[in-house]
Amino acid sequence: MVPQYFLPKQALTALAGAFASRQGGALTTSVIRWFVGRYGVDMSEAANPDIASYATFNEFFTRALKPDARPLAKAEWICPVDGAISQFGPIHGDQIFQAKGHHYSTTALVGGDHRLAAQFEDGSFATLYLSPKDYHRIHMPADGRLMRMVHVPGPLFSVNPTTARGVPGLFARNERVVCVFDSPRGPWVLVLVGATIVGSMATTWHGVVNPPRVKQVRDWYYQDQQVLFKQGDEMGRFLLGSTVVMLFPKGPLRFNPEWTPGRSIRLGEMMAFEG
């Protein structure tokens, strides 16, 4: 076997992705069982808790939850994922706070579109980290109509808290999928940010967005369609874990007063209110 340090990161990602989608029988079951034990995955919440029944690692990783596992709070904005709060708060001009000493621009995050980014000047943001043990489907924080999707190519750095503190502009550098919605409260954006070995991100309306690995920004527009979602609907998933960044326009949005960086969060809890 070739030692890992002789393989470029792209090759490691491809190998991991190939295994994750392969029906490996007993080997797949053994890897899933190890993963559950290593990361403390709570399979009692899964719609299908039988580890041996998952044909591929991806099927396990994107497992559904029991219907009543995540009740939705009666709130204008609900948390769209299980995970932990990385950062949240005001956008200062076009600058988003990443970690002490590190900021990045809304324009860079959305792939260079200044007009899109300008809608969130002096608005608000939330960055939510999904660890390996978490549920990896993303749900709608509020009602919304899909207007556009942008796939921005980039590297795949780790997005864990340690890396977030050390890599400048991390979330505006990694490969990502920018989902733009409109709503009665105005436009808002939800960005799926890739990470090390996260070779694939998918949306419910498009399917797998990447691969293919490309070098140019890709755009899809949906203004002439009625792609509508209700709060709590599934909208996407990571085929290995990562981070979600949300952008909100300037206005009366107030985050949950119980939220603090590093706090664990669950899909469906109150994220924010207006007023």
Side-chain angles (χ1 to χ4, degrees):
M1 179 179 292
V2 178
Q4 178 172 320
Y5 51 80
F6 285 117
L7 291 173
K9 185 178 290 186
Q10 296 90 334
L12 289 171
T13 299
L15 287 171
F19 172 78
S21 61
R22 178 175 175 268
Q23 296 187 20
L27 176 59
T28 293
T29 300
S30 295
V31 170
I32 293 173
R33 199 176 304 280
W34 171 86
F35 190 94
V36 168
R38 171 66 177 80
Y39 291 105
V41 178
D42 184 0
M43 292 301 292
S44 70
E45 296 183 325
N48 176 12
D50 180 9
I51 289 173
S53 68
Y54 291 97
T56 69
F57 187 84
N58 276 343
E59 284 185 20
F60 154 74
F61 201 80
T62 59
R63 62 197 175 276
L65 296 177
K66 291 176 179 176
D68 59 350
R70 296 292 184 275
L72 304 184
K74 293 182 179 179
E76 291 161 305
W77 297 93
I78 62 169
C79 183
V81 295
D82 282 5
I85 300 166
S86 177
Q87 298 291 341
F88 68 99
I91 299 169
H92 296 288
D94 69 345
Q95 292 295 298
I96 300 172
F97 179 69
Q98 175 179 305
K100 185 177 181 179
H102 298 305
H103 292 76
Y104 60 96
S105 74
T106 52
T107 300
L109 178 67
V110 301
D113 187 327
H114 295 276
R115 183 175 297 180
L116 173 59
Q119 297 179 72
F120 305 100
E121 185 170 340
D122 293 318
S124 302
F125 79 98
T127 305
L128 310 177
Y129 168 66
L130 287 72
S131 73
K133 70 178 178 61
D134 291 318
Y135 170 65
H136 276 81
R137 299 189 185 192
I138 303 105
H139 293 250
M140 292 289 286
D143 294 355
R145 178 186 176 190
L146 178 69
M147 304 301 288
R148 182 182 175 192
M149 180 174 75
V150 186
H151 172 223
V152 185
L156 292 171
F157 293 105
S158 170
V159 292
N160 64 39
T162 300
T163 309
R165 290 190 294 268
V167 178
L170 173 64
F171 304 119
R173 294 171 66 181
N174 271 18
E175 184 172 17
R176 55 204 179 276
V177 176
V178 181
C179 305
V180 183
F181 295 92
D182 196 12
S183 76
R185 299 183 179 94
W188 54 277
V189 163
L190 191 154
V191 183
L192 285 66
V193 183
T196 303
I197 306 180
V198 184
S200 292
M201 292 170 276
T203 63
T204 56
W205 60 86
H206 182 91
V208 174
V209 179
N210 63 316
R213 308 246 89 80
V214 296
K215 295 183 179 180
Q216 293 79 32
V217 172
R218 296 185 293 164
D219 269 293
W220 294 263
Y221 291 90
Y222 302 93
Q223 293 98 324
D224 60 346
Q225 303 176 44
Q226 291 289 314
V227 186
L228 305 174
F229 293 90
K230 290 292 186 182
Q231 184 182 65
D233 287 349
E234 182 187 344
M235 58 77 61
R237 60 185 65 176
F238 292 111
L239 302 190
L240 277 174
S242 191
T243 290
V244 164
V245 181
M246 286 171 288
L247 304 179
F248 308 99
K250 184 178 181 179
L253 184 140
R254 300 291 182 270
F255 285 103
N256 185 336
E258 296 182 359
W259 273 31
T260 58
R263 177 184 181 271
S264 294
I265 49 173
R266 284 164 70 92
L267 165 66
E269 69 175 64
M270 184 180 80
M271 177 173 66
F273 59 93
E274 297 185 9

